[in-house]
Amino acid sequence: MPQFIDTRALNDDARNVAAREAALQQVSWPQNLAPPTVSYVSHGHVAIVGPADAIHRAAHQLVDSELASVTLIATQDDVYEASDITNAHYIACADPHLEGYLGAFHLTSRDGGESLSQASLGRDHFDAILDLGTPALLEYELPPPGYHRVTQATPLAQAIQDLQACIGEFEKPRYFQIESDLCAHAGRGQSGCTRCLDICPADAISSVKQEIVIDPFRCHGAGSCTSVCPTGAIRYALPTPESLDDYIARLLATYQAEGGDTAVVRFLDQETQASETTEAAGHVLDVPLEEIGAAGLDHWLGAIARGAAEVRIVMHDALPPSLASLVRDQHAQAITMLESLGHDPRRLSLIDAGDIATRDALPILPPLGERLETKRPHAKREALNAILDFLAAHGTPRETRVAMPAGAPFGTLDIDTDNCTLCMACVAVCPTQALSSPGQSPALNFQESACVQCGLCETACPEQVIALHPGFMAAPETRNHVATVKEEAPFECISCGKPFATASTIASIKQKLADHPYFAGDAIKRLEMCEDCRVKDIWHDMARDPNAQLKV
């Protein structure tokens, strides 16, 4: 582990400020010229849901509004007083159910499924919702656009104001792209990784026919799914992972070329950056993200590999709990990996928004002696492996596997090779080719650096001989090695001699079908024939005994 040094002697803040400003002028923040968007259309038909007295108090504040209609839906007590609102409607529904988003909210009664918008307005949907009931109609950390609820942070007056602003056509970016071929969620009817489903604070992700689908109308772009996705199947689009990594690399390189010392890269969201009243110290280089979840441990560790002395991730109280938990979990994984690779884990830290002293503190260690210069590959795991290999080459990696936080996508497999039949079901479902077959002869290969611990191989194995073994192996020669787990000579067809399976596979099939009447007597030999010879043998039997076809 490197020794601490006093970096204060290396830093001149005025020089660092000048270097940072020069770098920011020369290196532009990556932006999509025409990002894809989704559109909401709202005509101002709103529903206010809750106890009768609460919805009437809210309705009195909408007397002079320009809303197209207001439907008061009483969940407790009867609607007992008239309203001065033009186009007001009244319904009692003790247990309403809500789905949708701005311009397309569907409110129904749970018992009969009656559409409350049809009953009150003759329309298929409401455009916006004000929820005054307990419990909330939607319990999401990030509810969909158009859903308003009075909370400690959002008083009634603010909620009413937001409700009145819901008329018109609105656009927002499609924050994500999905590359289904890389997804480890499912394969050939087997279920695997559910990390994105478990983490989304907006509940905008679902599994439809075993494919991950993101509803762009409910998505807030929090970034948690792209950070937690181990394969890069879900990619943040504003900016893309490659352009963000390239920005960080060019910013650090330009800062150093302009005379800056011991740079600290600080990841924070744009809202936090805008709220700061004092400028950061000269050695602090900000990466202002749309959402803090848009960058994960691959970008944090990548910044260290590309020349940052230290990386700091800014947390604040307004983060959705699931997103805050994700960032802490990714941080725990990253510092475990750093330490295992032989680097001081204090190169990477979480800091609180508003903690100016920690924000501006000089790093304890200088940057690594060299910088990773290669461009980031498109595949997320390939990009992370390049960073880990660089850090291993400039550290003292451990030779033993280290434990990782629960759910981390790193580890190996325990395979019972004595009972493995080399059926290759695991190879067929592996989304990252961590498991593979050379093709020339029956063999099973495994590469740990490609394994994301999705579990598809474990569930697909008909012999149940595969078990996940989580943990991180820092030594590149072990992590990157393509090891042959099992190899057998091919089994040759007893009729034509063509190799078509393995001896263990044939033995397993014969054992399972020994009592099947179709393979009674000499017919069991058909299992030792290739597919062509098996068909020929059946037809020869039919030619000798035409009644045999009745048994097929």
Side-chain angles (χ1 to χ4, degrees):
M1 184 138 335
Q3 295 183 346
F4 295 155
I5 66 168
D6 187 354
T7 56
R8 289 174 294 181
L10 302 175
N11 280 267
D12 178 294
D13 194 61
R15 184 177 72 249
N16 288 342
V17 169
R20 181 180 64 191
E21 294 308 309
L24 291 174
Q25 289 179 8
Q26 296 177 46
V27 181
S28 300
W29 177 257
Q31 292 183 343
N32 294 2
L33 295 179
T37 60
V38 294
S39 297
Y40 303 88
V41 178
S42 170
H43 299 287
H45 296 279
V46 307
I48 305 177
V49 187
D53 56 345
I55 62 177
H56 276 289
R57 283 196 302 269
H60 286 317
Q61 300 187 39
L62 293 170
V63 171
D64 297 324
S65 74
E66 296 181 358
L67 296 173
S69 71
V70 177
T71 300
L72 306 182
I73 302 175
T75 57
Q76 298 174 20
D77 306 321
D78 293 329
V79 179
Y80 58 85
E81 65 177 90
S83 171
D84 296 330
I85 305 175
T86 305
N87 294 328
H89 306 270
Y90 310 94
I91 295 178
C93 181
D95 190 17
H97 173 68
L98 177 64
E99 293 180 345
Y101 45 83
L102 178 64
F105 281 109
H106 299 279
L107 258 174
T108 58
S109 57
R110 290 184 189 273
D111 50 3
E114 178 188 11
S115 170
L116 302 185
S117 60
Q118 281 286 355
S120 60
L121 305 176
R123 302 180 80 247
D124 291 336
H125 55 261
F126 293 110
D127 293 320
I129 304 293
L130 176 58
D131 184 2
L132 302 177
T134 303
L137 292 172
L138 299 179
E139 298 283 0
Y140 311 141
E141 295 174 14
L142 295 177
Y147 174 83
H148 307 282
R149 179 167 176 78
V150 175
T151 63
Q152 187 174 0
T154 308
L156 179 60
Q158 180 63 52
I160 292 292
Q161 183 178 343
D162 294 340
L163 195 68
Q164 294 182 87
C166 74
I167 302 173
E169 185 171 348
F170 308 89
E171 285 192 347
K172 75 171 183 181
R174 286 181 178 264
Y175 294 102
F176 298 100
Q177 302 167 346
I178 299 181
E179 297 185 19
S180 298
D181 291 345
L182 297 176
C183 184
H185 171 57
R188 303 202 175 197
Q190 305 298 327
S191 297
C193 177
T194 61
R195 292 178 175 94
C196 61
L197 291 166
D198 299 335
I199 200 65
C200 180
D203 197 36
I205 304 179
S206 58
S207 176
V208 179
K209 297 181 179 179
Q210 291 200 310
E211 283 197 7
I212 291 297
V213 175
I214 299 179
D215 185 344
F217 293 96
R218 292 165 60 190
C219 172
H220 282 257
S224 50
C225 57
T226 188
S227 292
V228 80
C229 178
T231 65
I234 301 179
R235 292 166 50 82
Y236 205 80
L238 300 168
T240 64
E242 295 88 350
S243 57
L244 178 58
D245 191 82
D246 180 63
Y247 172 78
I248 295 168
R250 290 187 294 117
L251 189 67
L252 284 164
T254 308
Y255 172 81
Q256 185 179 27
E258 293 290 336
D261 285 325
T262 55
V264 168
V265 169
R266 188 172 66 133
F267 290 88
L268 74 170
D269 59 39
Q270 295 169 2
E271 188 173 340
T272 300
Q273 186 190 50
S275 68
E276 293 185 336
T277 57
T278 60
E279 186 177 57
H283 61 279
V284 177
L285 305 182
D286 282 347
V287 180
L289 303 164
E290 178 102 7
E291 298 286 350
I292 194 65
L297 61 80
D298 51 325
H299 287 108
W300 305 341
L301 296 177
I304 295 172
R306 296 195 183 275
E310 188 177 314
V311 168
R312 296 169 188 163
I313 303 105
V314 181
M315 307 286 284
H316 57 81
D317 293 339
L319 284 176
S322 62
L323 180 54
S325 177
L326 167 70
V327 174
R328 293 190 184 96
D329 182 62
Q330 292 259 302
H331 175 255
Q333 293 181 36
I335 61 173
T336 300
M337 297 164 78
L338 265 180
E339 195 166 23
S340 181
L341 291 162
H343 296 278
D344 194 298
R346 283 177 286 186
R347 286 192 183 275
L348 180 64
S349 60
L350 302 178
I351 68 173
D352 293 328
D355 185 349
I356 303 303
T358 304
R359 178 195 72 179
D360 292 343
L362 291 173
I364 298 172
L365 296 168
L368 301 178
E370 297 181 34
R371 291 200 307 267
L372 177 62
E373 301 285 358
T374 57
K375 292 283 188 181
R376 178 186 173 110
H378 178 78
K380 180 177 181 178
R381 182 48 71 100
E382 185 182 349
L384 178 58
N385 285 333
I387 294 165
L388 296 177
D389 290 346
F390 179 87
L391 293 174
H394 294 82
T396 52
R398 294 182 185 177
E399 299 292 333
T400 56
R401 190 177 311 281
V402 299
M404 291 286 281
F410 304 97
T412 185
L413 301 175
D414 290 332
I415 301 177
D416 179 1
T417 55
D418 291 339
N419 292 304
C420 171
T421 62
L422 291 177
C423 69
M424 300 304 166
C426 56
V427 173
V429 298
C430 182
T432 62
Q433 296 186 320
L435 288 164
S436 61
S437 174
Q440 296 84 5
S441 61
L444 178 62
N445 294 341
F446 175 70
Q447 184 176 358
E448 180 170 341
S449 60
C451 180
V452 297
Q453 299 283 288
C454 65
L456 281 171
C457 58
E458 187 178 37
T459 56
C461 178
E463 312 300 337
Q464 297 184 333
V465 298
I466 300 178
L468 303 181
H469 188 157
F472 177 67
M473 172 57 71
E477 59 274 12
T478 302
R479 190 177 69 252
N480 297 328
H481 177 59
V482 180
T484 299
V485 177
K486 183 173 182 177
E487 186 173 16
E488 284 187 20
F491 186 90
E492 297 178 349
C493 174
I494 61 173
S495 180
C496 70
K498 183 179 77 173
F500 73 99
T502 65
S504 57
T505 298
I506 297 301
S508 176
I509 294 174
K510 287 176 68 176
Q511 181 182 9
K512 292 176 180 178
L513 297 178
D515 297 329
H516 196 287
Y518 182 72
F519 295 104
D522 290 341
I524 193 71
K525 293 182 179 180
R526 288 176 182 155
L527 296 176
E528 298 177 340
M529 299 178 185
C530 68
E531 63 276 15
D532 294 332
C533 293
R534 195 177 306 130
V535 172
K536 291 177 182 177
D537 189 65
I538 292 172
W539 282 103
H540 287 161
D541 272 3
M542 288 183 178
R544 290 191 298 268
D545 180 10
N547 291 327
Q549 61 184 308
L550 301 176
K551 303 176 184 178
V552 177

